[in-house]
């Protein structure tokens, strides 16, 4: 398959913005959806719409079968041992909060430690702060260097027998840094700590095998994986999930309810209270089918080309500084331009059809570290082209002329 054929699968990519062709470079915020995903959602509402796990009627059984088939698809996609280790959530944020609250309630005591990194998204910081405050536990932070890489030498000092959980992202949404999660997991396990990997920015760029990496908990959002918003996955090892108390109470998560005592359902239902986003999860299944069809070889080859070309071309702009120059990087480029506020650039190049994100990218501590208010971020997906990089550069040069 070539990129032109792939682009034809994404209806939104033919849109005009202010009379110009859309150049969508905000894939870190959310990815666009292929026709196959949009059609799968419409087909569900056209033919099977009903509630799941609770009806003997045909529609309910068909919807249940389709929904549960996605669980197996996700299991295979991330290499999990069992399909009941896959919990459907609303997204990454929901998954982190689930583990923070549930694990925290059961296992955290005064003086225990949680370790995160200096390049976490707010959704992998704030839930830990909240539970640490409640339990009088301590939040520790793995520092980074000016390239935006974790300072690995500090890990042995920070992850100790006091550490109960280490929560780090696989890929930074702001810097594009690919973190050495295998090493972090090894050190954490040597200290009897469990590890949560925030894979929000990695599932769409790189294959993940949770068993090979020995990951305890993994969270990601469907919407960054070409699937609908309001969908996500928490993977947890069976024994760890069985050990945790439920996060929310309600329908579907119970075995038996009486006013005296309620017993909880088995995995995965224990963690899926209430009617889930059935259509969204079916869309997630279609997105995984789509990625499997394209294949990570093509995805990585195209994204590498985009990263290398865009890095080289951006570097030619006077006064432009790339924030995040790690050796191991994915196709996310944050940058600042001397004397110009990122917001002004973002607003002007939007007039030329270019969608980038500007601001702190929900990583304020990272902005503090680099002593900047925010960045302009171009985040590429495999459906982007080198011609779109040229359009970005042209737009930036025009914006600079207007602002100077
Ligand atoms: N973790 C990382 C690494 C992220 O990049 C994001 C979203 C989240 C967690 C939260 O995901 P959610 O789907 O629950 O909101 N990152 C971005 C971004 O970079 N621009 O917009 C959202």
């Amino acid at each position: 398959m070539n990129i032109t054929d792939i682009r034809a699968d994404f209806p939104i990519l033919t849109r005009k913005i202010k009379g110009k062709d859309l150049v969508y470079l905000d894939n870190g915020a959310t990815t666009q959806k292929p026709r196959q995903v949009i059609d799968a959602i419409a087909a569900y509402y056209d033919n099977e719409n009903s509630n799941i796990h609770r009806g003997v009627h045909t529609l309910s059984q068909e919807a249940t079968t389709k929904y549960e088939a996605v669980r197996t698809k996700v299991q295979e996609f991330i290499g999990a041992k069992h399909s009941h280790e896959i919990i459907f959530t609303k997204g990454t944020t929901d998954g982190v909060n689930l583990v923070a609250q549930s694990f925290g309630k059961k296992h955290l005591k005064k003086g225990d430690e949680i370790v995160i990194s200096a390049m976490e998204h707010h959704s992998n910081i704030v839930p830990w702060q909240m539970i640490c405050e409640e339990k009088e536990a301590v939040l520790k932070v793995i520092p980074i260097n000016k390239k935006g890489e974790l300072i690995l030498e500090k890990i042995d000092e920070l992850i100790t027998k006091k550490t109960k959980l280490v929560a780090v992202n696989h890929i930074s949404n702001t810097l594009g840094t690919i973190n050495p999660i295998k090493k972090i997991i090894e050190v954490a396990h040597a200290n009897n700590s469990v590890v949560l990997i925030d894979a929000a920015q990695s599932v769409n760029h790189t294959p993940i095998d949770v068993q090979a990496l020995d990951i305890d908990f993994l969270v990601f959002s469907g919407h960054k994986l070409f699937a609908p918003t309001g969908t996500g996955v928490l993977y947890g090892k069976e024994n760890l999930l069985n050990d945790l108390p439920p996060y929310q109470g309600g329908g579907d998560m119970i075995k038996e309810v009486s006013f005296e005592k309620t017993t909880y359902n088995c995995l995965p239902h224990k963690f899926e209270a209430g009617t889930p986003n059935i259509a969204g999860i079916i869309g997630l299944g279609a997105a995984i089918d789509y990625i499997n069809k394209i294949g990570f070889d093509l995805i990585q080859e195209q994204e590498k080309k985009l990263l290398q070309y865009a890095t080289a071309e951006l570097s030619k702009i006077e006064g432009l500084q790339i924030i995040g120059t790690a050796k191991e990087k994915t196709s996310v480029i944050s940058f600042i331009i001397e004397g110009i506020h990122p917001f002004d650039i973002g607003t002007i190049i939007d007039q030329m059809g270019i969608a980038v994100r500007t601001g702190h990218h929900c990583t304020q501590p990272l902005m503090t570290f680099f002593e900047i208010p925010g960045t302009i971020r171009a985040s590429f997906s495999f459906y982007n082209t080198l011609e779109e990089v040229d359009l970005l550069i042209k737009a930036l040069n025009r914006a600079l002329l207007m602002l100077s």
Side-chain angles (χ1 to χ4, degrees), residues 226-246:
F226 318 99
T229 50
T231 64
V233 167
L234 160 67
Y235 157 81
K237 283 181 184 161
E238 181 185 41
N239 60 329
L240 294 174
L241 288 175
N242 270 329
D243 171 59
L244 295 186

Side-chain angles (χ1 to χ4, degrees), residues 97-162:
N97 277 280
L98 189 163
V99 177
Q101 286 299 318
S102 184
F103 181 91
K105 196 181 278 180
K106 174 106 190 231
H107 292 293
L108 277 191
K109 344 178 270 305
K110 189 174 175 173
D112 284 345
E113 294 177 359
I114 300 280
V115 175
I116 60 171
S117 91
M119 62 171 98
E120 297 311 314
H121 186 279
H122 294 165
S123 66
N124 202 27
I125 301 174
V126 185
W128 303 113
Q129 282 176 325
M130 288 162 68
I131 194 69
C132 282
E133 193 176 359
E134 193 182 318
K135 295 286 179 175
E136 296 182 68
V138 181
L139 191 65
K140 297 245 162 148
V141 182
I142 305 169
I144 57 171
N145 61 26
K146 287 286 176 193
K147 287 177 154 178
E149 296 166 324
L150 294 178
I151 301 177
L152 276 188
E153 301 77 60
K154 294 277 180 197
I155 283 181
D156 288 326
E157 269 169 51
L158 285 162
I159 303 176
T160 67
K161 299 284 180 219
K162 282 187 179 173

Side-chain angles (χ1 to χ4, degrees), residues 42-295:
Y44 164 74
Y45 280 124
D46 280 346
N47 299 302
E48 288 119 10
N49 177 49
S50 55
N51 215 323
I52 54 167
H53 298 149
R54 55 195 92 191
V56 292
H57 63 79
T58 304
L59 286 185
S60 176
Q61 289 190 7
E62 285 179 6
T64 303
T65 304
K66 268 197 157 180
Y67 179 86
E68 289 301 329
V70 181
R71 212 183 291 281
T72 312
K73 219 164 259 183
V74 175
Q75 175 202 349
E76 287 164 5
F77 186 63
I78 61 168
K81 193 166 180 190
H82 307 289
S83 66
H84 57 253
E85 294 175 317
I86 306 301
I87 312 295
F88 291 128
T89 64
K90 288 189 291 183
T92 309
T93 306
D94 195 31
V96 178
N97 277 280
L98 189 163
V99 177
Q101 286 299 318
S102 184
F103 181 91
K105 196 181 278 180
K106 174 106 190 231
H107 292 293
L108 277 191
K109 344 178 270 305
K110 189 174 175 173
D112 284 345
E113 294 177 359
I114 300 280
V115 175
I116 60 171
S117 91
M119 62 171 98
E120 297 311 314
H121 186 279
H122 294 165
S123 66
N124 202 27
I125 301 174
V126 185
W128 303 113
Q129 282 176 325
M130 288 162 68
I131 194 69
C132 282
E133 193 176 359
E134 193 182 318
K135 295 286 179 175
E136 296 182 68
V138 181
L139 191 65
K140 297 245 162 148
V141 182
I142 305 169
I144 57 171
N145 61 26
K146 287 286 176 193
K147 287 177 154 178
E149 296 166 324
L150 294 178
I151 301 177
L152 276 188
E153 301 77 60
K154 294 277 180 197
I155 283 181
D156 288 326
E157 269 169 51
L158 285 162
I159 303 176
T160 67
K161 299 284 180 219
K162 282 187 179 173
T163 311
K164 288 288 174 293
L165 187 142
V166 178
V168 290
N169 65 45
H170 187 187
I171 294 184
S172 156
N173 65 317
T174 303
L175 307 170
T177 308
I178 304 172
N179 285 317
I181 55 170
K182 195 167 192 296
K183 168 79 185 155
I184 296 170
I185 292 165
E186 278 167 14
V187 175
H189 286 172
N191 285 283
N192 292 326
S193 167
V194 297
V195 180
L196 176 139
I197 299 296
D198 171 356
Q201 294 292 340
S202 61
V203 274
N204 61 358
H205 293 299
T206 176
I208 293 178
D209 186 325
V210 290
Q211 286 189 82
L213 286 161
D214 204 13
I215 292 173
D216 299 308
F217 297 109
L218 178 101
V219 289
F220 63 88
S221 302
H223 72 95
K224 294 186 203 283
L225 191 65
F226 318 99
T229 50
T231 64
V233 167
L234 160 67
Y235 157 81
K237 283 181 184 161
E238 181 185 41
N239 60 329
L240 294 174
L241 288 175
N242 270 329
D243 171 59
L244 295 186
Y247 173 48
Q248 292 181 319
D252 235 21
M253 55 74 73
I254 53 88
K255 201 172 266 163
E256 243 173 288
V257 177
S258 72
F259 288 120
E260 290 71 38
K261 176 146 183 72
T262 290
T263 50
Y264 303 126
N265 208 337
C266 57
L267 292 175
H269 312 294
K270 184 171 91 170
F271 291 107
E272 291 181 14
T275 302
N277 185 352
I278 305 165
I281 294 299
I282 288 168
L284 174 63
I288 291 175
D289 285 343
Y290 186 78
I291 294 163
N292 287 338
K293 189 179 85 178
I294 303 281

